[in-house]
Amino acid sequence: MQPSVENTYRVVRFMFLSSIVWLLIGMTFGLILALKYVWPEFLAFGPLQKYLQYGRIRPIHTNLVLLGWLTMAYLGAMFYIIPALTKTPLQYPRLAMIGGILWNVFLIVGAVVLMNGMTDVIEYAEFPYFLDIVAVILMGVIATICFATIVRRREKKLYVSLWYFMGSLLWLPLLWIVGNLPPSWIPGVPRFNMAWFYGHNVIGLWFTTVGVGIIYYLLPKLANNPLYSHRLSLIGFWTIAAFYVWNGPHHIQNGPVPAWLMKSGVIPSVLMIIPVWTVVANFFGTMKGKWHVAATNIPLRFLLTGVIFYLITCLQGPFQSLMGPSSVIKFTNWVIGHAHLPLFGAFSFVCFAAIYTILPKITGRPLNSTALMNAHFWLSVGGFLLFASSMWTAGLIQGFAWMSGKQYGPAFVEVLVALRPYTMARALGGALMVIGQFLFAYNVIRSLAPARQATHPTASTA
Amino acid sequence: MASSKAEKSIAPIVLGSLALFLLGVIGTVTLPFYDSSMQKPNANAELRHYAPNTPEARGRALYIREGCHVCHTQFVRPVKADSNLGPVSAAGDYFYDAPPLLGTVRTGADLMWVGKRWNKEWLIRNLKNPREMLPGSNMPRYDYLTDQELSDLAAYLMSLRPAPQAEGR
């Protein structure tokens, strides 16, 4: 496979299709977890009792949606956007395809291994050590492909999306190494702190920064307006690079760490207001005079909603990292609601917008169904708002109940029983979200099916 | 600033990204290893320092295999929400804890000092059928574990208790 537009699109299509398969599987696991929370006997029979046990499949849900859905959707988007912005076809397309296939194999092996109870405990990276090494190698391969394309660019000016992509492609393998590869003999709180360096920064320096890069690419295109401020986007890049990396220790707030470490995690968390505001200000500036477009342009509506959820994330996050609020809501369902805000609400929405925008470009024909796209939007937004608001309420109830002394035994269970209406609402919201994603997958597959036949003769000669 | 020379070169972006990342790693990951309060075991840590292949060590491996840490913390903070849970956790308590099991969510109750709360028989019955012991509990049944495994897991949980010197700290 030589670098060509045709081969670039083949790789993009493969990444998007893989990501959607992982989205369906990962979110179905999430729904099973939500149902088990309400009915602990759900699917608890025969071998399923053991292999679909809550503690074993919760990491499968998080790893598949993070490393399967979001990461592969990001790779698809970057493999399209980088060639588009550099006016250069993707370099080493065969290697990119092999990397994508191996990443799928990595996820399948990881899910099976977790189901069998082999976990290295580090949250969002529970895959065992040998898979951690495989992941670093594949991340290195992907970064090499992207950098090779950027180095050989025909368009000399580096658009800001490329800044965000380059930063993220360097940070991901490095933060993975810090979190996953220290030898197992490093014990205790320092190791826990390293794990949270990874856990927080994989969100901040991969899921956030690639997502922001995609926003900056899609926004001027979808709104059909030039980007409001290039300078603001660069301020955003350097502030996120400077502050995000310090956020890890706020996960040990009120914990057994020295005060200086807590503060060094909390102060940069509050400063995160700056980079998020650069994105929001740029968004509002670019949308000026074009708001009516969001009424009819569904990808733009996904992007707009994603940016608003990103803003809420970065207002909620610093608040939670403070000592007082943390002492009430830490360890409760509030945090589950918060964690879904950037990952589903903000950046999955950005990916939906990206896939809906890029697919017609690579197939050369419009999407199969606008009605399905609209249904996908409303099920995702409605389901998520129900999910998140029930989790935030449940978290406050838990936090204050624990403060009133209901911390273990029958009193603790009393709180669990009181939470049932909220956990049921969570499961219902989750079900709506999952239904929306099945409509999304169906729509994408129908949009690709005729295009595949049309491009087949050219693809085989390439 | 528009289309300045700097924006046509990838070197400042790469070097700047790496430098800022490195600074954060040194500040939040490396420096804690030089803080003496995190580097000394205490009496509680010795109680949790299991010899290989003891019931407690096997129980701890089972605790990880079944993902108990996914729903239970071992993390008592100096806050009102943790006031009934026992002594506040200190870094020294976890000195031998590899991997550390502090946890992030309390779907179930905190287990830092669970060994002080119940006895072994109660724990095994609760693992086999949580809704018999605590009606309304949403913990999975662990009745697929063998008697030996249940006994090991309960032995581990019973070892999670403060050392006599640490009580009332």
Side-chain angles (χ1 to χ4, degrees):
Chain A
M1 274 165 93
Q2 294 302 312
S4 68
V5 174
E6 196 62 45
N7 285 332
T8 302
Y9 288 176
R10 276 172 74 176
V11 176
V12 173
R13 192 179 302 151
F14 178 76
M15 293 295 174
F16 281 160
L17 280 175
S18 305
S19 73
I20 292 169
V21 170
W22 291 117
L23 173 72
L24 299 183
I25 299 174
M27 285 187 62
T28 302
F29 271 108
L31 184 58
I32 294 172
L33 287 163
L35 292 169
K36 279 175 176 278
Y37 199 105
V38 188
W39 295 284
E41 300 295 333
F42 179 68
L43 294 181
F45 52 81
L48 291 184
Q49 185 197 358
K50 180 173 169 186
Y51 293 107
L52 293 184
Q53 192 254 102
Y54 195 101
R56 291 189 182 196
I57 65 170
R58 196 266 188 177
I60 298 180
H61 163 63
T62 52
N63 280 281
L64 291 187
V65 291
L66 292 174
L67 303 175
W69 151 242
L70 266 181
T71 298
M72 292 198 86
Y74 275 5
L75 295 181
M78 283 197 289
F79 287 164
Y80 176 85
I81 295 172
I82 293 175
L85 289 175
T86 56
K87 298 196 168 68
T88 310
L90 188 72
Q91 301 298 298
Y92 313 118
R94 185 190 299 272
L95 190 61
M97 198 64 128
I98 293 169
I101 293 166
L102 289 179
W103 193 256
N104 281 321
V105 174
F106 157 79
L107 292 164
I108 294 167
V109 173
V112 171
V113 156
L114 285 179
M115 224 174 249
N116 282 286
M118 284 171 70
T119 166
D120 64 12
V121 177
I122 298 157
E123 196 158 12
Y124 305 145
E126 285 89 345
F127 291 169
Y129 206 85
F130 71 98
L131 285 175
D132 294 338
I133 296 170
V134 171
V136 175
I137 296 167
L138 291 175
M139 287 167 186
V141 166
I142 285 157
T144 308
I145 293 166
C146 294
F147 272 96
T149 309
I150 294 170
V151 167
R152 285 177 203 160
R153 67 192 181 280
R154 291 196 203 110
E155 165 64 57
K156 287 297 163 211
K157 184 152 190 293
L158 290 163
Y159 185 70
V160 65
S161 296
L162 295 172
W163 290 48
Y164 281 92
F165 294 162
M166 281 190 279
S168 312
L169 288 162
L170 292 171
W171 293 323
L172 178 65
L174 292 175
L175 65 94
W176 184 276
I177 288 170
V178 173
N180 288 277
L181 298 191
S184 57
W185 50 258
I186 298 181
V189 176
R191 182 70 187 88
F192 187 68
N193 179 47
M194 288 170 104
W196 273 116
F197 173 88
Y198 162 77
H200 195 90
N201 287 314
V202 74
I203 311 298
L205 296 177
W206 174 248
F207 295 117
T208 300
T209 43
V210 176
V212 170
I214 297 173
I215 292 172
Y216 278 129
Y217 174 78
L218 291 177
L219 176 59
K221 284 221 165 358
L222 291 175
N224 202 15
N225 253 0
L227 187 65
Y228 172 67
S229 166
H230 181 66
R231 183 178 302 211
L232 206 51
S233 64
L234 299 188
I235 293 171
F237 176 79
W238 288 115
T239 47
I240 208 169
F243 300 144
Y244 222 121
V245 71
W246 289 79
N247 276 220
H250 75 216
H251 287 265
I252 325 179
Q253 183 60 279
N254 295 316
V257 292
W260 68 263
L261 187 57
M262 271 186 237
K263 285 175 196 157
S264 73
V266 171
I267 295 164
S269 307
V270 176
L271 289 171
M272 289 304 297
I273 302 281
I274 301 170
V276 72
W277 193 251
T278 62
V279 174
V280 174
N282 241 338
F283 195 95
F284 279 55
T286 308
M287 284 296 287
K288 205 169 183 185
K290 292 295 171 76
W291 288 97
H292 64 280
V293 181
T296 46
N297 185 329
I298 300 169
L300 181 62
R301 209 193 297 157
F302 267 113
L303 197 67
L304 166 66
T305 317
V307 170
I308 293 169
F309 281 135
Y310 175 43
L311 173 66
I312 302 173
T313 306
C314 290
L315 296 177
Q316 209 181 45
F319 162 75
Q320 280 167 231
S321 73
L322 301 173
M323 214 172 236
S326 174
S327 72
V328 182
I329 55 183
K330 193 174 168 64
F331 301 142
T332 71
N333 278 310
W334 173 289
V335 180
I336 316 283
H338 174 72
H340 285 78
L341 193 51
L343 296 165
F344 186 80
F347 297 116
S348 291
F349 276 42
V350 170
C351 287
F352 299 145
I355 292 174
Y356 283 140
T357 310
I358 292 169
L359 272 189
K361 305 264 194 251
I362 64 179
T363 59
R365 58 181 65 213
L367 284 159
N368 170 57
S369 161
T370 311
L372 279 177
M373 190 156 51
N374 206 17
H376 176 215
F377 177 80
W378 288 113
L379 284 166
S380 297
V381 174
F384 176 68
L385 288 176
L386 182 60
F387 173 101
S389 52
S390 58
M391 284 297 89
W392 291 326
T393 316
L396 290 175
I397 294 173
Q398 278 177 298
F400 286 112
W402 295 344
M403 285 170 74
S404 73
K406 299 178 176 172
Q407 295 165 16
Y408 64 88
F412 185 93
V413 172
E414 204 178 284
V415 184
L416 278 180
V417 174
L419 292 183
R420 277 180 73 97
Y422 301 94
T423 52
M424 282 177 179
R426 186 249 298 256
L428 178 63
L432 295 177
M433 284 153 72
V434 171
I435 293 167
Q437 307 325 310
F438 274 92
L439 298 183
F440 167 56
Y442 174 77
N443 201 9
V444 167
I445 288 163
R446 284 298 301 272
S447 304
L448 280 172
R452 260 188 184 163
Q453 286 161 358
T455 57
H456 195 256
T458 43
S460 60
T461 56
Chain B
M1 200 161 170
S3 75
S4 70
K5 208 175 179 184
E7 283 172 52
K8 292 184 179 174
S9 164
I10 65 171
I13 304 169
V14 169
L15 296 176
S17 301
L18 291 176
L20 290 169
F21 183 85
L22 193 65
L23 202 63
V25 173
I26 293 170
T28 62
V29 176
T30 314
L31 284 184
F33 283 94
Y34 294 90
D35 192 293
S36 57
S37 72
M38 311 244 278
Q39 301 300 330
K40 277 194 298 276
N42 61 21
N44 296 325
E46 299 302 335
L47 274 188
R48 290 161 190 240
H49 191 198
Y50 314 114
N53 211 27
T54 52
E56 288 82 5
R58 292 195 302 266
R60 190 174 191 278
L62 277 164
Y63 183 95
I64 292 169
R65 189 187 82 186
E66 298 303 334
C68 305
H69 58 277
V70 167
C71 293
H72 293 281
T73 53
Q74 295 185 22
F75 191 155
V76 180
R77 304 160 296 164
V79 302
K80 206 177 170 195
D82 295 8
S83 52
N84 294 345
L85 292 174
V88 170
S89 305
D93 299 340
Y94 306 96
F95 188 78
Y96 302 108
D97 222 16
L101 299 172
L102 286 90
T104 47
V105 184
R106 280 185 197 154
T107 301
D110 183 85
L111 300 180
M112 184 72 189
W113 313 113
V114 66
K116 219 175 72 163
R117 238 175 264 158
W118 315 107
N119 59 43
K120 203 173 166 182
E121 291 67 42
W122 190 95
L123 286 169
I124 290 176
R125 281 179 70 180
N126 190 53
L127 285 164
K128 279 185 173 167
N129 185 4
R131 274 153 299 285
E132 180 203 349
M133 307 313 284
L134 294 169
S137 163
N138 62 359
M139 188 166 93
R141 282 180 286 115
Y142 292 92
D143 48 5
Y144 59 84
L145 298 178
T146 64
D147 286 345
Q148 178 65 48
E149 286 175 323
L150 284 166
S151 167
D152 289 346
L153 190 48
Y156 168 65
L157 293 172
M158 287 306 292
S159 79
L160 301 178
R161 53 166 73 229
Q165 307 93 298
E167 288 215 53
R169 179 172 60 199

